[in-house]
PDB file of all heavy atoms in Angstrom:
ATOM      1  N   HIS A  26     -47.195  15.520 117.853  1.00  0.00           N
ATOM      2  CA  HIS A  26     -47.083  16.499 116.774  1.00  0.00           C
ATOM      3  C   HIS A  26     -47.366  15.870 115.411  1.00  0.00           C
ATOM      4  O   HIS A  26     -48.038  16.479 114.568  1.00  0.00           O
ATOM      5  CB  HIS A  26     -45.678  17.114 116.791  1.00  0.00           C
ATOM      6  CG  HIS A  26     -45.433  18.072 115.663  1.00  0.00           C
ATOM      7  ND1 HIS A  26     -45.877  19.379 115.687  1.00  0.00           N
ATOM      8  CD2 HIS A  26     -44.800  17.899 114.465  1.00  0.00           C
ATOM      9  CE1 HIS A  26     -45.526  19.975 114.562  1.00  0.00           C
ATOM     10  NE2 HIS A  26     -44.859  19.107 113.803  1.00  0.00           N
ATOM     11  N   TRP A  33     -51.727  18.725 124.690  1.00  0.00           N
ATOM     12  CA  TRP A  33     -52.211  17.527 125.360  1.00  0.00           C
ATOM     13  C   TRP A  33     -52.164  17.759 126.860  1.00  0.00           C
ATOM     14  O   TRP A  33     -51.860  18.869 127.329  1.00  0.00           O
ATOM     15  CB  TRP A  33     -51.384  16.305 124.946  1.00  0.00           C
ATOM     16  CG  TRP A  33     -49.894  16.448 125.175  1.00  0.00           C
ATOM     17  CD1 TRP A  33     -49.184  16.044 126.255  1.00  0.00           C
ATOM     18  CD2 TRP A  33     -48.959  17.065 124.298  1.00  0.00           C
ATOM     19  NE1 TRP A  33     -47.863  16.352 126.107  1.00  0.00           N
ATOM     20  CE2 TRP A  33     -47.698  16.979 124.909  1.00  0.00           C
ATOM     21  CE3 TRP A  33     -49.061  17.675 123.051  1.00  0.00           C
ATOM     22  CZ2 TRP A  33     -46.546  17.486 124.321  1.00  0.00           C
ATOM     23  CZ3 TRP A  33     -47.916  18.174 122.469  1.00  0.00           C
ATOM     24  CH2 TRP A  33     -46.673  18.081 123.086  1.00  0.00           C
ATOM     25  N   ASP A  42     -45.249  28.913 119.652  1.00  0.00           N
ATOM     26  CA  ASP A  42     -44.646  30.131 120.185  1.00  0.00           C
ATOM     27  C   ASP A  42     -43.673  30.743 119.196  1.00  0.00           C
ATOM     28  O   ASP A  42     -43.626  31.959 119.008  1.00  0.00           O
ATOM     29  CB  ASP A  42     -43.909  29.830 121.502  1.00  0.00           C
ATOM     30  CG  ASP A  42     -44.883  29.282 122.554  1.00  0.00           C
ATOM     31  OD1 ASP A  42     -46.084  29.595 122.463  1.00  0.00           O
ATOM     32  OD2 ASP A  42     -44.413  28.556 123.446  1.00  0.00           O
ATOM     33  N   ASN A  47     -42.099  34.823 115.243  1.00  0.00           N
ATOM     34  CA  ASN A  47     -41.352  34.974 113.999  1.00  0.00           C
ATOM     35  C   ASN A  47     -42.252  34.802 112.785  1.00  0.00           C
ATOM     36  O   ASN A  47     -41.882  34.160 111.806  1.00  0.00           O
ATOM     37  CB  ASN A  47     -40.186  33.961 113.937  1.00  0.00           C
ATOM     38  CG  ASN A  47     -39.264  34.105 115.115  1.00  0.00           C
ATOM     39  OD1 ASN A  47     -38.960  35.208 115.542  1.00  0.00           O
ATOM     40  ND2 ASN A  47     -38.811  32.964 115.642  1.00  0.00           N
ATOM     41  N   SER A  53     -46.385  36.543  99.853  1.00  0.00           N
ATOM     42  CA  SER A  53     -47.541  37.074  99.149  1.00  0.00           C
ATOM     43  C   SER A  53     -48.707  36.102  99.246  1.00  0.00           C
ATOM     44  O   SER A  53     -48.568  34.958  99.684  1.00  0.00           O
ATOM     45  CB  SER A  53     -47.194  37.330  97.678  1.00  0.00           C
ATOM     46  OG  SER A  53     -46.837  36.106  97.052  1.00  0.00           O
ATOM     47  N   ASN A  69     -53.103   5.886 116.204  1.00  0.00           N
ATOM     48  CA  ASN A  69     -53.265   4.431 116.339  1.00  0.00           C
ATOM     49  C   ASN A  69     -53.135   3.701 115.006  1.00  0.00           C
ATOM     50  O   ASN A  69     -53.539   2.538 114.889  1.00  0.00           O
ATOM     51  CB  ASN A  69     -54.610   4.070 116.970  1.00  0.00           C
ATOM     52  CG  ASN A  69     -54.742   4.626 118.379  1.00  0.00           C
ATOM     53  OD1 ASN A  69     -53.754   4.674 119.122  1.00  0.00           O
ATOM     54  ND2 ASN A  69     -55.935   5.058 118.737  1.00  0.00           N
ATOM     55  N   LEU A  76     -43.612   4.134 114.642  1.00  0.00           N
ATOM     56  CA  LEU A  76     -42.829   5.265 115.123  1.00  0.00           C
ATOM     57  C   LEU A  76     -42.729   5.266 116.641  1.00  0.00           C
ATOM     58  O   LEU A  76     -41.663   5.562 117.214  1.00  0.00           O
ATOM     59  CB  LEU A  76     -43.455   6.570 114.638  1.00  0.00           C
ATOM     60  CG  LEU A  76     -42.745   7.863 115.062  1.00  0.00           C
ATOM     61  CD1 LEU A  76     -41.332   7.911 114.526  1.00  0.00           C
ATOM     62  CD2 LEU A  76     -43.540   9.073 114.586  1.00  0.00           C
ATOM     63  N   ILE A  79     -40.176   2.769 117.891  1.00  0.00           N
ATOM     64  CA  ILE A  79     -38.793   3.223 117.689  1.00  0.00           C
ATOM     65  C   ILE A  79     -38.426   4.335 118.671  1.00  0.00           C
ATOM     66  O   ILE A  79     -37.361   4.311 119.305  1.00  0.00           O
ATOM     67  CB  ILE A  79     -38.596   3.717 116.242  1.00  0.00           C
ATOM     68  CG1 ILE A  79     -38.809   2.546 115.262  1.00  0.00           C
ATOM     69  CG2 ILE A  79     -37.227   4.332 116.052  1.00  0.00           C
ATOM     70  CD1 ILE A  79     -38.779   2.968 113.802  1.00  0.00           C
ATOM     71  N   ALA A  80     -39.323   5.324 118.822  1.00  0.00           N
ATOM     72  CA  ALA A  80     -39.012   6.482 119.661  1.00  0.00           C
ATOM     73  C   ALA A  80     -38.948   6.138 121.140  1.00  0.00           C
ATOM     74  O   ALA A  80     -38.184   6.758 121.898  1.00  0.00           O
ATOM     75  CB  ALA A  80     -40.059   7.581 119.433  1.00  0.00           C
ATOM     76  N   LYS A  83     -36.275   1.314 124.700  1.00  0.00           N
ATOM     77  CA  LYS A  83     -35.409   1.547 125.862  1.00  0.00           C
ATOM     78  C   LYS A  83     -33.933   1.564 125.473  1.00  0.00           C
ATOM     79  O   LYS A  83     -33.142   2.374 125.983  1.00  0.00           O
ATOM     80  CB  LYS A  83     -35.663   0.487 126.926  1.00  0.00           C
ATOM     81  CG  LYS A  83     -37.054   0.569 127.554  1.00  0.00           C
ATOM     82  CD  LYS A  83     -37.216  -0.467 128.644  1.00  0.00           C
ATOM     83  CE  LYS A  83     -38.605  -0.363 129.293  1.00  0.00           C
ATOM     84  NZ  LYS A  83     -38.782  -1.372 130.368  1.00  0.00           N
ATOM     85  N   LYS A  87     -31.370   4.888 125.868  1.00  0.00           N
ATOM     86  CA  LYS A  87     -30.124   4.846 126.627  1.00  0.00           C
ATOM     87  C   LYS A  87     -28.941   5.382 125.824  1.00  0.00           C
ATOM     88  O   LYS A  87     -27.983   5.887 126.383  1.00  0.00           O
ATOM     89  CB  LYS A  87     -29.844   3.409 127.084  1.00  0.00           C
ATOM     90  CG  LYS A  87     -30.805   2.890 128.147  1.00  0.00           C
ATOM     91  CD  LYS A  87     -30.439   1.471 128.543  1.00  0.00           C
ATOM     92  CE  LYS A  87     -31.387   0.952 129.609  1.00  0.00           C
ATOM     93  NZ  LYS A  87     -31.072  -0.464 129.998  1.00  0.00           N
ATOM     94  N   LYS A  88     -29.009   5.282 124.490  1.00  0.00           N
ATOM     95  CA  LYS A  88     -27.894   5.674 123.632  1.00  0.00           C
ATOM     96  C   LYS A  88     -28.094   7.007 122.935  1.00  0.00           C
ATOM     97  O   LYS A  88     -27.169   7.519 122.311  1.00  0.00           O
ATOM     98  CB  LYS A  88     -27.646   4.598 122.578  1.00  0.00           C
ATOM     99  CG  LYS A  88     -27.265   3.237 123.131  1.00  0.00           C
ATOM    100  CD  LYS A  88     -27.051   2.243 122.001  1.00  0.00           C
ATOM    101  CE  LYS A  88     -26.663   0.881 122.543  1.00  0.00           C
ATOM    102  NZ  LYS A  88     -26.453  -0.104 121.444  1.00  0.00           N
ATOM    103  N   LYS A  91     -25.648   9.933 123.298  1.00  0.00           N
ATOM    104  CA  LYS A  91     -24.370   9.843 122.600  1.00  0.00           C
ATOM    105  C   LYS A  91     -24.471  10.430 121.200  1.00  0.00           C
ATOM    106  O   LYS A  91     -23.531  11.065 120.724  1.00  0.00           O
ATOM    107  CB  LYS A  91     -23.916   8.383 122.535  1.00  0.00           C
ATOM    108  CG  LYS A  91     -23.660   7.756 123.894  1.00  0.00           C
ATOM    109  CD  LYS A  91     -23.177   6.326 123.750  1.00  0.00           C
ATOM    110  CE  LYS A  91     -22.928   5.702 125.118  1.00  0.00           C
ATOM    111  NZ  LYS A  91     -22.472   4.290 124.994  1.00  0.00           N
ATOM    112  N   LEU A 101      -8.336  14.205 117.676  1.00  0.00           N
ATOM    113  CA  LEU A 101      -7.614  13.315 118.598  1.00  0.00           C
ATOM    114  C   LEU A 101      -6.636  12.442 117.842  1.00  0.00           C
ATOM    115  O   LEU A 101      -5.495  12.226 118.284  1.00  0.00           O
ATOM    116  CB  LEU A 101      -8.611  12.460 119.389  1.00  0.00           C
ATOM    117  CG  LEU A 101      -8.006  11.453 120.376  1.00  0.00           C
ATOM    118  CD1 LEU A 101      -7.172  12.168 121.429  1.00  0.00           C
ATOM    119  CD2 LEU A 101      -9.110  10.635 121.038  1.00  0.00           C
ATOM    120  N   SER A 103      -5.218  13.173 115.032  1.00  0.00           N
ATOM    121  CA  SER A 103      -4.133  14.039 114.586  1.00  0.00           C
ATOM    122  C   SER A 103      -3.121  14.259 115.700  1.00  0.00           C
ATOM    123  O   SER A 103      -1.902  14.242 115.461  1.00  0.00           O
ATOM    124  CB  SER A 103      -4.696  15.378 114.112  1.00  0.00           C
ATOM    125  OG  SER A 103      -3.655  16.275 113.750  1.00  0.00           O
ATOM    126  N   GLN A 128       4.457  15.561 126.751  1.00  0.00           N
ATOM    127  CA  GLN A 128       4.225  16.954 127.129  1.00  0.00           C
ATOM    128  C   GLN A 128       4.813  17.908 126.089  1.00  0.00           C
ATOM    129  O   GLN A 128       4.203  18.928 125.756  1.00  0.00           O
ATOM    130  CB  GLN A 128       4.825  17.226 128.508  1.00  0.00           C
ATOM    131  CG  GLN A 128       4.102  16.506 129.635  1.00  0.00           C
ATOM    132  CD  GLN A 128       4.786  16.677 130.981  1.00  0.00           C
ATOM    133  OE1 GLN A 128       5.896  17.197 131.066  1.00  0.00           O
ATOM    134  NE2 GLN A 128       4.119  16.235 132.041  1.00  0.00           N
ATOM    135  N   HIS A 137       1.078  25.549 117.709  1.00  0.00           N
ATOM    136  CA  HIS A 137       1.007  25.751 116.265  1.00  0.00           C
ATOM    137  C   HIS A 137      -0.326  25.300 115.676  1.00  0.00           C
ATOM    138  O   HIS A 137      -0.420  25.094 114.462  1.00  0.00           O
ATOM    139  CB  HIS A 137       2.154  25.000 115.574  1.00  0.00           C
ATOM    140  CG  HIS A 137       3.504  25.441 116.050  1.00  0.00           C
ATOM    141  ND1 HIS A 137       4.281  24.692 116.912  1.00  0.00           N
ATOM    142  CD2 HIS A 137       4.222  26.568 115.790  1.00  0.00           C
ATOM    143  CE1 HIS A 137       5.406  25.317 117.161  1.00  0.00           C
ATOM    144  NE2 HIS A 137       5.404  26.455 116.498  1.00  0.00           N
ATOM    145  N   LYS A 158       0.042   5.355 101.777  1.00  0.00           N
ATOM    146  CA  LYS A 158       0.332   3.929 101.786  1.00  0.00           C
ATOM    147  C   LYS A 158      -0.941   3.094 101.593  1.00  0.00           C
ATOM    148  O   LYS A 158      -0.909   2.050 100.941  1.00  0.00           O
ATOM    149  CB  LYS A 158       1.003   3.537 103.108  1.00  0.00           C
ATOM    150  CG  LYS A 158       2.384   4.162 103.306  1.00  0.00           C
ATOM    151  CD  LYS A 158       2.992   3.686 104.603  1.00  0.00           C
ATOM    152  CE  LYS A 158       4.368   4.286 104.813  1.00  0.00           C
ATOM    153  NZ  LYS A 158       4.966   3.842 106.098  1.00  0.00           N
ATOM    154  N   THR A 167      -2.044  21.003 100.994  1.00  0.00           N
ATOM    155  CA  THR A 167      -1.685  22.397 101.236  1.00  0.00           C
ATOM    156  C   THR A 167      -0.687  22.486 102.385  1.00  0.00           C
ATOM    157  O   THR A 167      -0.859  21.853 103.422  1.00  0.00           O
ATOM    158  CB  THR A 167      -2.931  23.217 101.559  1.00  0.00           C
ATOM    159  OG1 THR A 167      -3.914  23.016 100.538  1.00  0.00           O
ATOM    160  CG2 THR A 167      -2.595  24.695 101.644  1.00  0.00           C
ATOM    161  N   GLU A 170       2.077  27.432 107.220  1.00  0.00           N
ATOM    162  CA  GLU A 170       3.225  28.287 107.490  1.00  0.00           C
ATOM    163  C   GLU A 170       4.229  27.579 108.387  1.00  0.00           C
ATOM    164  O   GLU A 170       3.839  26.770 109.242  1.00  0.00           O
ATOM    165  CB  GLU A 170       2.764  29.591 108.152  1.00  0.00           C
ATOM    166  CG  GLU A 170       2.080  30.566 107.212  1.00  0.00           C
ATOM    167  CD  GLU A 170       1.824  31.903 107.877  1.00  0.00           C
ATOM    168  OE1 GLU A 170       2.103  32.013 109.094  1.00  0.00           O
ATOM    169  OE2 GLU A 170       1.353  32.823 107.187  1.00  0.00           O
ATOM    170  N   ASN A 204      23.410   4.974 108.380  1.00  0.00           N
ATOM    171  CA  ASN A 204      22.497   3.890 108.011  1.00  0.00           C
ATOM    172  C   ASN A 204      21.193   3.913 108.797  1.00  0.00           C
ATOM    173  O   ASN A 204      20.429   2.946 108.757  1.00  0.00           O
ATOM    174  CB  ASN A 204      23.195   2.540 108.200  1.00  0.00           C
ATOM    175  CG  ASN A 204      23.658   2.330 109.651  1.00  0.00           C
ATOM    176  OD1 ASN A 204      23.590   3.252 110.469  1.00  0.00           O
ATOM    177  ND2 ASN A 204      24.130   1.130 109.949  1.00  0.00           N
ATOM    178  N   ARG A 207      15.658   6.342 109.545  1.00  0.00           N
ATOM    179  CA  ARG A 207      14.900   7.586 109.641  1.00  0.00           C
ATOM    180  C   ARG A 207      15.426   8.660 108.683  1.00  0.00           C
ATOM    181  O   ARG A 207      14.731   9.640 108.400  1.00  0.00           O
ATOM    182  CB  ARG A 207      14.926   8.111 111.075  1.00  0.00           C
ATOM    183  CG  ARG A 207      14.115   7.259 112.060  1.00  0.00           C
ATOM    184  CD  ARG A 207      14.271   7.760 113.474  1.00  0.00           C
ATOM    185  NE  ARG A 207      15.635   7.558 113.951  1.00  0.00           N
ATOM    186  CZ  ARG A 207      16.071   7.942 115.165  1.00  0.00           C
ATOM    187  NH1 ARG A 207      15.243   8.567 115.984  1.00  0.00           N
ATOM    188  NH2 ARG A 207      17.314   7.727 115.538  1.00  0.00           N
TER     189      ARG A 207
END
Side-chain angles (χ1 to χ4, degrees):
H26 177 80
W33 56 94
D42 299 334
N47 303 320
S53 62
N69 298 324
L76 180 61
I79 296 174
K83 293 183 179 180
K87 291 180 180 179
K88 299 180 180 180
K91 297 182 180 179
L101 179 60
S103 176
Q128 292 175 351
H137 301 105
K158 295 182 179 179
T167 307
E170 286 188 355
N204 59 352
R207 290 175 293 178

